């Protein structure tokens, strides 16, 4: 197991296309299996993924004869692309591979998925205690973690990752809707129009978002736009 320390800050992002920030630079991950391998490890959120599981999921249940050796070469490619952050990819005989992640590993990488969960959890508690300003700040921080329309697009065809992707989409929807609700109660409705328009563009059949957008239009003096959304 590679226990070498990592001397640079590493930021992994999966709430959108996979990105890894190593210090001031973006790692240049090779498309295909190396990129998919890292996505699989990050989806495990710091837990080990066995060699058998990685082989099965990398090749969709139809691995080549030299799959294990090829897997190890992909691991080397990922570590090489990460440069000084390569040691965040750890392995242990009999357990497989994992990504060392903070805060569980103080020397590990940060992951936007974990930050997003933490901000949403904090926002839920603050909403329940009616701490509106602090709740809005946590919701804004949660939504700022995203940089794409969906999480882990590299694993779009991976059945095992589907429940995680759906869960994250549901949490994002809750955060977006709760943020709008708080602004409608305690702020300027016009400020939430752009994000509601974007949310409705992503999910045109989402009736709750449509209703929020109509309320925001009407409350900010644009009843004609509210009527247009209703008509659509």
């Amino acid at each position: 197991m590679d226990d070498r320390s990592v001397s640079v800050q590493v930021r992994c992002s999966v709430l959108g296309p996979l990105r890894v920030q190593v210090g001031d630079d973006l790692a240049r991950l090779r498309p295909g299996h190396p990129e998919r391998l890292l996505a699989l490890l990050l989806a495990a959120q710091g837990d080990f993924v066995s060699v058998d599981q990685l082989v099965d999921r990398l090749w969709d249940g139809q691995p080549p004869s030299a799959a294990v050796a090829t897997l190890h070469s992909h691991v080397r490619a990922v570590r090489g692309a990460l440069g000084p952050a390569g040691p965040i990819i750890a392995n242990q005989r009999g357990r497989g591979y994992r990504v060392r992640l903070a805060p569980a590993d103080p020397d590990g990488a940060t992951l936007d998925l974990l930050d997003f969960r933490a901000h949403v959890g904090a926002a839920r508690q603050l909403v329940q205690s009616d701490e509106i300003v602090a709740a809005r700040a946590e919701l804004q921080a949660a939504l700022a973690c995203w940089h794409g329309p969906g999480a882990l697009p590299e694993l779009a065809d991976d059945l095992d990752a589907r429940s995680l992707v759906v869960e994250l989409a549901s949490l994002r929807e809750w955060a977006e809707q709760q943020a709008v609700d708080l602004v409608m109660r305690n702020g300027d409705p016009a400020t939430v129009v752009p994000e509601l328009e974007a949310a409705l563009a992503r999910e045109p059949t989402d009736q709750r978002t449509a209703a929020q957008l109509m309320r925001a239009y009407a409350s900010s003096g644009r009843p004609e736009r509210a009527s247009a959304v209703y008509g659509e």
Side-chain angles (χ1 to χ4, degrees), residues 85-108:
I88 67 167
I89 308 297
N91 66 286
Q92 185 173 346
R93 186 179 299 275
R95 301 187 70 184
Y97 291 92
R98 73 180 182 97
V99 179
R100 295 160 55 191
L101 294 176
D105 188 330
D107 197 35

PDB file of all heavy atoms in Angstrom, residues 85-108:
ATOM      1  N   ALA A  85       0.486  14.043  -7.061  1.00  0.00           N
ATOM      2  CA  ALA A  85      -0.687  13.568  -6.314  1.00  0.00           C
ATOM      3  C   ALA A  85      -0.946  12.084  -6.540  1.00  0.00           C
ATOM      4  O   ALA A  85      -1.923  11.541  -6.019  1.00  0.00           O
ATOM      5  CB  ALA A  85      -1.922  14.370  -6.714  1.00  0.00           C
ATOM      6  N   GLY A  86      -0.063  11.406  -7.296  1.00  0.00           N
ATOM      7  CA  GLY A  86      -0.264   9.992  -7.575  1.00  0.00           C
ATOM      8  C   GLY A  86      -0.522   9.120  -6.363  1.00  0.00           C
ATOM      9  O   GLY A  86      -1.341   8.188  -6.415  1.00  0.00           O
ATOM     10  N   PRO A  87       0.136   9.388  -5.210  1.00  0.00           N
ATOM     11  CA  PRO A  87      -0.079   8.544  -4.028  1.00  0.00           C
ATOM     12  C   PRO A  87      -1.496   8.578  -3.453  1.00  0.00           C
ATOM     13  O   PRO A  87      -1.787   7.792  -2.539  1.00  0.00           O
ATOM     14  CB  PRO A  87       0.933   9.104  -3.015  1.00  0.00           C
ATOM     15  CG  PRO A  87       2.019   9.688  -3.851  1.00  0.00           C
ATOM     16  CD  PRO A  87       1.309  10.278  -5.031  1.00  0.00           C
ATOM     17  N   ILE A  88      -2.378   9.463  -3.948  1.00  0.00           N
ATOM     18  CA  ILE A  88      -3.753   9.393  -3.431  1.00  0.00           C
ATOM     19  C   ILE A  88      -4.441   8.106  -3.882  1.00  0.00           C
ATOM     20  O   ILE A  88      -5.445   7.698  -3.290  1.00  0.00           O
ATOM     21  CB  ILE A  88      -4.613  10.609  -3.844  1.00  0.00           C
ATOM     22  CG1 ILE A  88      -4.880  10.635  -5.342  1.00  0.00           C
ATOM     23  CG2 ILE A  88      -4.014  11.901  -3.344  1.00  0.00           C
ATOM     24  CD1 ILE A  88      -5.962  11.621  -5.760  1.00  0.00           C
ATOM     25  N   ILE A  89      -3.913   7.460  -4.939  1.00  0.00           N
ATOM     26  CA  ILE A  89      -4.441   6.160  -5.357  1.00  0.00           C
ATOM     27  C   ILE A  89      -3.707   5.097  -4.553  1.00  0.00           C
ATOM     28  O   ILE A  89      -2.535   4.817  -4.784  1.00  0.00           O
ATOM     29  CB  ILE A  89      -4.236   5.906  -6.860  1.00  0.00           C
ATOM     30  CG1 ILE A  89      -4.763   7.078  -7.692  1.00  0.00           C
ATOM     31  CG2 ILE A  89      -4.913   4.599  -7.264  1.00  0.00           C
ATOM     32  CD1 ILE A  89      -6.243   7.305  -7.560  1.00  0.00           C
ATOM     33  N   ALA A  90      -4.392   4.534  -3.576  1.00  0.00           N
ATOM     34  CA  ALA A  90      -3.783   3.550  -2.673  1.00  0.00           C
ATOM     35  C   ALA A  90      -4.270   2.158  -3.024  1.00  0.00           C
ATOM     36  O   ALA A  90      -5.363   1.989  -3.581  1.00  0.00           O
ATOM     37  CB  ALA A  90      -4.142   3.879  -1.225  1.00  0.00           C
ATOM     38  N   ASN A  91      -3.455   1.170  -2.707  1.00  0.00           N
ATOM     39  CA  ASN A  91      -3.872  -0.218  -2.921  1.00  0.00           C
ATOM     40  C   ASN A  91      -3.466  -1.065  -1.739  1.00  0.00           C
ATOM     41  O   ASN A  91      -2.525  -0.733  -1.003  1.00  0.00           O
ATOM     42  CB  ASN A  91      -3.267  -0.776  -4.212  1.00  0.00           C
ATOM     43  CG  ASN A  91      -1.757  -0.905  -4.134  1.00  0.00           C
ATOM     44  OD1 ASN A  91      -1.058   0.096  -4.193  1.00  0.00           O
ATOM     45  ND2 ASN A  91      -1.268  -2.134  -4.002  1.00  0.00           N
ATOM     46  N   GLN A  92      -4.193  -2.142  -1.540  1.00  0.00           N
ATOM     47  CA  GLN A  92      -3.880  -3.091  -0.467  1.00  0.00           C
ATOM     48  C   GLN A  92      -4.197  -4.486  -0.978  1.00  0.00           C
ATOM     49  O   GLN A  92      -5.308  -4.718  -1.509  1.00  0.00           O
ATOM     50  CB  GLN A  92      -4.701  -2.775   0.788  1.00  0.00           C
ATOM     51  CG  GLN A  92      -4.342  -3.641   1.986  1.00  0.00           C
ATOM     52  CD  GLN A  92      -5.061  -3.183   3.244  1.00  0.00           C
ATOM     53  OE1 GLN A  92      -5.625  -2.099   3.307  1.00  0.00           O
ATOM     54  NE2 GLN A  92      -5.045  -4.026   4.256  1.00  0.00           N
ATOM     55  N   ARG A  93      -3.254  -5.379  -0.850  1.00  0.00           N
ATOM     56  CA  ARG A  93      -3.440  -6.741  -1.350  1.00  0.00           C
ATOM     57  C   ARG A  93      -4.694  -7.364  -0.734  1.00  0.00           C
ATOM     58  O   ARG A  93      -4.901  -7.318   0.469  1.00  0.00           O
ATOM     59  CB  ARG A  93      -2.215  -7.594  -1.021  1.00  0.00           C
ATOM     60  CG  ARG A  93      -2.257  -8.997  -1.636  1.00  0.00           C
ATOM     61  CD  ARG A  93      -1.003  -9.769  -1.292  1.00  0.00           C
ATOM     62  NE  ARG A  93       0.192  -9.127  -1.806  1.00  0.00           N
ATOM     63  CZ  ARG A  93       0.670  -9.298  -3.040  1.00  0.00           C
ATOM     64  NH1 ARG A  93       0.018 -10.077  -3.895  1.00  0.00           N
ATOM     65  NH2 ARG A  93       1.773  -8.683  -3.421  1.00  0.00           N
ATOM     66  N   GLY A  94      -5.521  -7.915  -1.574  1.00  0.00           N
ATOM     67  CA  GLY A  94      -6.743  -8.563  -1.124  1.00  0.00           C
ATOM     68  C   GLY A  94      -7.931  -7.629  -0.996  1.00  0.00           C
ATOM     69  O   GLY A  94      -9.065  -8.099  -0.851  1.00  0.00           O
ATOM     70  N   ARG A  95      -7.693  -6.329  -1.048  1.00  0.00           N
ATOM     71  CA  ARG A  95      -8.794  -5.375  -0.911  1.00  0.00           C
ATOM     72  C   ARG A  95      -8.986  -4.528  -2.161  1.00  0.00           C
ATOM     73  O   ARG A  95     -10.081  -4.007  -2.384  1.00  0.00           O
ATOM     74  CB  ARG A  95      -8.577  -4.472   0.306  1.00  0.00           C
ATOM     75  CG  ARG A  95      -8.477  -5.231   1.620  1.00  0.00           C
ATOM     76  CD  ARG A  95      -8.433  -4.269   2.800  1.00  0.00           C
ATOM     77  NE  ARG A  95      -9.702  -3.603   3.003  1.00  0.00           N
ATOM     78  CZ  ARG A  95      -9.906  -2.653   3.922  1.00  0.00           C
ATOM     79  NH1 ARG A  95      -8.901  -2.239   4.679  1.00  0.00           N
ATOM     80  NH2 ARG A  95     -11.090  -2.094   4.060  1.00  0.00           N
ATOM     81  N   GLY A  96      -7.938  -4.343  -2.943  1.00  0.00           N
ATOM     82  CA  GLY A  96      -8.074  -3.589  -4.180  1.00  0.00           C
ATOM     83  C   GLY A  96      -7.501  -2.194  -4.078  1.00  0.00           C
ATOM     84  O   GLY A  96      -6.469  -1.960  -3.435  1.00  0.00           O
ATOM     85  N   TYR A  97      -8.209  -1.239  -4.689  1.00  0.00           N
ATOM     86  CA  TYR A  97      -7.740   0.141  -4.767  1.00  0.00           C
ATOM     87  C   TYR A  97      -8.770   1.095  -4.173  1.00  0.00           C
ATOM     88  O   TYR A  97      -9.962   0.801  -4.137  1.00  0.00           O
ATOM     89  CB  TYR A  97      -7.493   0.536  -6.224  1.00  0.00           C
ATOM     90  CG  TYR A  97      -6.326  -0.161  -6.874  1.00  0.00           C
ATOM     91  CD1 TYR A  97      -6.505  -1.353  -7.570  1.00  0.00           C
ATOM     92  CD2 TYR A  97      -5.036   0.370  -6.794  1.00  0.00           C
ATOM     93  CE1 TYR A  97      -5.431  -1.997  -8.174  1.00  0.00           C
ATOM     94  CE2 TYR A  97      -3.960  -0.266  -7.392  1.00  0.00           C
ATOM     95  CZ  TYR A  97      -4.164  -1.446  -8.083  1.00  0.00           C
ATOM     96  OH  TYR A  97      -3.107  -2.079  -8.673  1.00  0.00           O
ATOM     97  N   ARG A  98      -8.275   2.243  -3.722  1.00  0.00           N
ATOM     98  CA  ARG A  98      -9.150   3.303  -3.257  1.00  0.00           C
ATOM     99  C   ARG A  98      -8.467   4.642  -3.468  1.00  0.00           C
ATOM    100  O   ARG A  98      -7.249   4.698  -3.705  1.00  0.00           O
ATOM    101  CB  ARG A  98      -9.504   3.141  -1.776  1.00  0.00           C
ATOM    102  CG  ARG A  98      -8.367   3.462  -0.810  1.00  0.00           C
ATOM    103  CD  ARG A  98      -8.803   3.272   0.633  1.00  0.00           C
ATOM    104  NE  ARG A  98      -7.730   3.624   1.585  1.00  0.00           N
ATOM    105  CZ  ARG A  98      -7.632   4.804   2.185  1.00  0.00           C
ATOM    106  NH1 ARG A  98      -8.533   5.756   1.939  1.00  0.00           N
ATOM    107  NH2 ARG A  98      -6.655   5.053   3.030  1.00  0.00           N
ATOM    108  N   VAL A  99      -9.248   5.714  -3.376  1.00  0.00           N
ATOM    109  CA  VAL A  99      -8.695   7.062  -3.384  1.00  0.00           C
ATOM    110  C   VAL A  99      -8.680   7.564  -1.951  1.00  0.00           C
ATOM    111  O   VAL A  99      -9.699   7.506  -1.250  1.00  0.00           O
ATOM    112  CB  VAL A  99      -9.525   8.014  -4.269  1.00  0.00           C
ATOM    113  CG1 VAL A  99      -8.936   9.426  -4.233  1.00  0.00           C
ATOM    114  CG2 VAL A  99      -9.568   7.508  -5.700  1.00  0.00           C
ATOM    115  N   ARG A 100      -7.535   8.047  -1.515  1.00  0.00           N
ATOM    116  CA  ARG A 100      -7.428   8.611  -0.169  1.00  0.00           C
ATOM    117  C   ARG A 100      -8.084   9.985  -0.162  1.00  0.00           C
ATOM    118  O   ARG A 100      -7.667  10.898  -0.875  1.00  0.00           O
ATOM    119  CB  ARG A 100      -5.952   8.713   0.221  1.00  0.00           C
ATOM    120  CG  ARG A 100      -5.273   7.355   0.343  1.00  0.00           C
ATOM    121  CD  ARG A 100      -3.768   7.448   0.247  1.00  0.00           C
ATOM    122  NE  ARG A 100      -3.237   8.386   1.225  1.00  0.00           N
ATOM    123  CZ  ARG A 100      -1.968   8.814   1.200  1.00  0.00           C
ATOM    124  NH1 ARG A 100      -1.144   8.436   0.242  1.00  0.00           N
ATOM    125  NH2 ARG A 100      -1.536   9.656   2.122  1.00  0.00           N
ATOM    126  N   LEU A 101      -9.119  10.111   0.645  1.00  0.00           N
ATOM    127  CA  LEU A 101      -9.921  11.335   0.643  1.00  0.00           C
ATOM    128  C   LEU A 101      -9.956  11.980   2.023  1.00  0.00           C
ATOM    129  O   LEU A 101     -10.031  11.304   3.048  1.00  0.00           O
ATOM    130  CB  LEU A 101     -11.364  11.028   0.207  1.00  0.00           C
ATOM    131  CG  LEU A 101     -11.569  10.555  -1.240  1.00  0.00           C
ATOM    132  CD1 LEU A 101     -13.032  10.204  -1.462  1.00  0.00           C
ATOM    133  CD2 LEU A 101     -11.123  11.625  -2.224  1.00  0.00           C
ATOM    134  N   ALA A 102      -9.920  13.304   2.023  1.00  0.00           N
ATOM    135  CA  ALA A 102     -10.157  14.077   3.240  1.00  0.00           C
ATOM    136  C   ALA A 102     -11.673  14.143   3.455  1.00  0.00           C
ATOM    137  O   ALA A 102     -12.444  14.040   2.503  1.00  0.00           O
ATOM    138  CB  ALA A 102      -9.571  15.478   3.073  1.00  0.00           C
ATOM    139  N   PRO A 103     -12.148  14.297   4.683  1.00  0.00           N
ATOM    140  CA  PRO A 103     -11.375  14.485   5.913  1.00  0.00           C
ATOM    141  C   PRO A 103     -10.943  13.195   6.593  1.00  0.00           C
ATOM    142  O   PRO A 103     -10.204  13.250   7.564  1.00  0.00           O
ATOM    143  CB  PRO A 103     -12.355  15.253   6.797  1.00  0.00           C
ATOM    144  CG  PRO A 103     -13.690  14.750   6.377  1.00  0.00           C
ATOM    145  CD  PRO A 103     -13.594  14.506   4.897  1.00  0.00           C
ATOM    146  N   ALA A 104     -11.403  12.034   6.094  1.00  0.00           N
ATOM    147  CA  ALA A 104     -11.013  10.781   6.741  1.00  0.00           C
ATOM    148  C   ALA A 104      -9.503  10.596   6.709  1.00  0.00           C
ATOM    149  O   ALA A 104      -8.901  10.107   7.667  1.00  0.00           O
ATOM    150  CB  ALA A 104     -11.712   9.602   6.055  1.00  0.00           C
ATOM    151  N   ASP A 105      -8.887  10.982   5.597  1.00  0.00           N
ATOM    152  CA  ASP A 105      -7.431  10.942   5.473  1.00  0.00           C
ATOM    153  C   ASP A 105      -6.936  12.377   5.352  1.00  0.00           C
ATOM    154  O   ASP A 105      -7.124  13.016   4.314  1.00  0.00           O
ATOM    155  CB  ASP A 105      -7.044  10.140   4.229  1.00  0.00           C
ATOM    156  CG  ASP A 105      -5.546   9.883   4.144  1.00  0.00           C
ATOM    157  OD1 ASP A 105      -4.781  10.738   4.647  1.00  0.00           O
ATOM    158  OD2 ASP A 105      -5.147   8.855   3.596  1.00  0.00           O
ATOM    159  N   PRO A 106      -6.319  12.933   6.395  1.00  0.00           N
ATOM    160  CA  PRO A 106      -5.887  14.338   6.359  1.00  0.00           C
ATOM    161  C   PRO A 106      -4.952  14.658   5.203  1.00  0.00           C
ATOM    162  O   PRO A 106      -4.853  15.802   4.777  1.00  0.00           O
ATOM    163  CB  PRO A 106      -5.184  14.528   7.717  1.00  0.00           C
ATOM    164  CG  PRO A 106      -5.755  13.460   8.594  1.00  0.00           C
ATOM    165  CD  PRO A 106      -6.012  12.291   7.686  1.00  0.00           C
ATOM    166  N   ASP A 107      -4.270  13.631   4.695  1.00  0.00           N
ATOM    167  CA  ASP A 107      -3.316  13.838   3.598  1.00  0.00           C
ATOM    168  C   ASP A 107      -3.948  13.530   2.242  1.00  0.00           C
ATOM    169  O   ASP A 107      -3.261  13.510   1.222  1.00  0.00           O
ATOM    170  CB  ASP A 107      -2.097  12.942   3.808  1.00  0.00           C
ATOM    171  CG  ASP A 107      -0.907  13.390   2.980  1.00  0.00           C
ATOM    172  OD1 ASP A 107      -0.738  14.607   2.795  1.00  0.00           O
ATOM    173  OD2 ASP A 107      -0.156  12.516   2.511  1.00  0.00           O
ATOM    174  N   GLY A 108      -5.267  13.325   2.238  1.00  0.00           N
ATOM    175  CA  GLY A 108      -5.927  12.925   1.013  1.00  0.00           C
ATOM    176  C   GLY A 108      -6.505  14.086   0.223  1.00  0.00           C
ATOM    177  O   GLY A 108      -6.388  15.253   0.597  1.00  0.00           O
TER     178      GLY A 108
END
